[in-house]
Every structure is written in structure tokens, then in C-alpha cells.
Amino acid sequence: MTDRKLYLGALTDNRRWDKVNIRPDDVFVVTPPKCGTTWMQTIVALLISGDPEMETELSVKMPWVDIRIREMEEIAERLEAQTQRRSMKSHTPMDGLPLHDQAQYLCVLRHPLDAHFSYRKHVRNIPMNWFDHWYPEEDTDGTTFRRFLDGGAEGWDLDAMPLAVILRHYTTVRDLADRPNVTLFHYADMSRDLPGTFERVAGLLGIAHSDAVMEDLIAAATFDNMKAQAERYAPSGGKGFMKSDSDFFHSGSSNKWVGVLSDAELSAYDAMMDAHLNAEDRAWLEYGSTGRP
């Protein structure tokens, strides 16, 4: 743990990675919450299996290692027993993860405001009150967005997903851009070109399938298909972890803050983004490869 930053939050404990024996062909899916984590995990699972009808069981087969609510010994034993190629999930920024020279790190980002509004919906769909004082159901004075801007990237704030966490994820991946096994993806690019995303991920993982198989795999990973089969694709689907598995895939759309945030709130957001990112970095973090809406 000495060469990694310590991240301890209400849910996160990145010291748990010390119990995982990383293999050279492991695949890490690393994102802030609600930025395309489950989508990228599904793409990886489909590519590794080559079977569009595979049972995903992401929370079991591709576990979220750094979440405190599952026994780490059991997760480590289950991972060690796997004989197929493994993939794991993390919401910890890259400077808090074990960095292997050969394992692949697929890092997905999304427009911070899209991620924030998706997370607002997500906390209402979880039958626990972990973040109620950050995300009050009746938010008449703008508490939720104020905390989004004011929260820090470490400690308890980490798992409430303030803007600082998204910025930390982005900058720690950007700082590793010279590594061929650390790759940035953007939710908007995945939405615009899912076949291209499959091709890119397959190339990174050294996986090849026929055109016909790839077509079936891509169809399985569309938003509409995953929402229609939410018990199969949602994290811990069918096990009551969420009030509604289908609502986990709420809409996949963007710009839900338009008409909701005030001019003052948007100005405060702009100021924070411009204080931490240059124009090129900000354009990518918000809109992906096109750099525009």
C-alpha cells in the first residue's frame, strides 16, 4: 500500500486490493460512479466469453473489490479460484490502485453534470440512507449541488461522488497516458459509436471474434437491451440490492441539468472546472473525442 494513495470512504477501502494477486491478463474497469461502469463491464464480459447469452453476474464474477460491504477474504478467494480471464471493478482513482505493467486498465469518464444527475437518481433507487444528507429528497435550498461542488476527493466525501472525485479520476488517468495498458474512454463516445468501442476494447484485450459474433455481442450491450433485461445486467440484479433493477438503467441520456440548475449554479460549476482543467481537458471530460455537445 506504500506506493498508493489511501482512499477510505463510507463505502470505499482501497487497502482491500492488497489481498488480490494480480495476473498479467487481468482487466480493471475503473470509473467514478454512474459513468458507464456496468456498461464497460458488460462489454468486457461479452468479449471474453464470446457469448451474447452468457450469464453476466457482474457483482460475483467481476467484483467491486474496494467496497467495504462484502467480506474481502471471500472476494479474494473467489478471484483466486477463477481459471478464466478475470475482470474487476473499482471506483477508486488510479493513484489508489495497484498498477501492474501488463494488466489492462479501462477508465471511463462522463460529463460531470450528467454523472451527477444520474447519481441523484441512483441514490433514490438504493434502499439505504447512506447519503440522504447530501441528496435530500426535498432539496429546496440547493444542498445537493452545493455539496457536489464543495465536496472533497478523499475521506467520507469520496463515495458521495462530488465533482472533486470526477476530476481526480480524470487527472490521475491523464497522468498515466504514456502507459499502453491505461486507456481512457468517454461515455459520450460509447453512446455515439458502440461498435467502435467494442473494436477498441477487443484490440486492447487481444480478443478477436467473427463479424457475426461481434454483431450479436454489440446488440446485447445496447442500452435498450440491457434495460429490458435489467435483472440480468444490473449490479446484483434480481437480488434486491436496488428498489428497481430497471431504474438502474434510467435513461442513459444527457443534459438533465438543463432548466434545473440556476445560472449561479452553472457559473460556480464553470469556475471550478476552469480552475482545475485547461480548455482542452475540459472539452474532453465533458464531451469526449468531439470536444463539443
Side-chain angles (χ1 to χ4, degrees):
M1 186 71 211
T2 56
D3 60 341
R4 308 201 312 270
K5 190 171 186 64
L6 179 63
Y7 287 98
L8 296 176
L11 298 177
T12 295
D13 181 351
N14 70 322
R15 297 172 300 182
R16 292 160 62 91
W17 285 102
D18 294 338
K19 296 186 180 295
V20 178
N21 295 315
I22 300 174
R23 301 172 185 172
D25 65 347
D26 280 344
V27 183
F28 291 72
V29 175
V30 184
T31 79
K34 304 309 292 181
C35 286
T37 322
T38 300
W39 200 5
M40 181 59 78
Q41 284 186 286
T42 299
I43 291 170
V44 170
L46 289 167
L47 284 169
I48 289 175
S49 71
D51 179 8
E53 301 301 325
M54 68 164 292
E55 289 301 323
T56 52
E57 295 182 298
L58 297 179
S59 62
V60 175
K61 295 179 180 177
M62 305 168 73
W64 178 4
V65 170
D66 30 38
I67 188 172
R68 295 174 182 267
I69 63 175
R70 291 192 172 95
E71 290 295 329
M72 188 57 215
E73 293 295 340
E74 187 270 332
I75 291 176
E77 290 174 4
R78 189 179 345 121
L79 283 168
E80 195 65 27
Q82 289 187 21
T83 57
Q84 75 277 15
R85 190 171 189 178
R86 306 184 308 183
S87 182
M88 293 159 277
K89 157 187 168 179
S90 178
H91 288 318
T92 298
M94 282 295 297
D95 60 351
L97 295 180
L99 191 56
H100 192 279
D101 286 340
Q102 293 175 284
Q104 287 290 333
Y105 297 79
L106 310 180
C107 306
V108 189
L109 276 296
R110 187 182 187 184
H111 193 303
L113 294 180
D114 286 332
H116 171 65
F117 271 75
S118 183
Y119 201 69
R120 287 188 183 199
K121 180 73 175 177
H122 181 59
V123 297
R124 301 268 73 84
N125 193 34
I126 299 175
M128 298 92 169
N129 59 356
W130 294 323
F131 304 117
D132 281 1
H133 68 291
W134 269 61
Y135 294 88
E137 193 161 3
E138 299 297 329
D139 185 7
T140 57
D141 63 354
T143 295
T144 296
F145 196 71
R146 188 167 62 251
R147 291 189 184 278
F148 174 66
L149 296 182
D150 293 345
E154 300 163 32
W156 194 96
D157 293 7
L158 169 68
D159 294 309
M161 225 268 288
L163 179 55
V165 167
I166 299 173
L167 292 170
R168 180 71 61 82
H169 270 272
Y170 175 65
T171 56
T172 56
V173 179
R174 181 197 61 192
D175 292 346
L176 296 169
D178 61 328
R179 288 180 172 264
N181 63 329
V182 179
T183 308
L184 262 173
F185 292 81
H186 198 284
Y187 188 96
D189 294 326
M190 294 168 66
S191 299
R192 281 188 288 261
D193 185 9
L194 186 56
T197 301
F198 264 85
E199 183 178 351
R200 188 180 181 200
V201 175
L204 290 166
L205 303 189
I207 293 173
H209 295 296
S210 69
D211 291 346
V213 168
M214 284 292 281
E215 186 175 335
D216 289 342
L217 300 181
I218 293 165
T222 61
F223 179 86
D224 288 346
N225 185 64
M226 292 176 70
K227 183 177 177 65
Q229 301 186 63
E231 287 192 2
R232 180 181 174 201
Y233 289 105
S236 298
K239 297 179 174 63
F241 180 71
M242 287 171 284
K243 296 176 184 176
S244 167
D245 292 329
S246 180
D247 280 357
F248 178 79
F249 304 102
H250 176 50
S251 72
S253 60
S254 304
N255 300 327
K256 285 191 169 58
W257 72 87
V258 176
V260 178
L261 297 178
S262 68
D263 290 343
E265 288 172 325
L266 287 171
S267 293
Y269 164 78
D270 287 339
M272 186 168 174
M273 291 290 283
D274 290 339
H276 289 86
L277 300 176
N278 62 35
E280 181 180 358
D281 283 341
R282 177 175 175 177
W284 188 91
L285 179 55
E286 290 183 327
Y287 299 112
S289 62
T290 67
R292 61 182 186 278

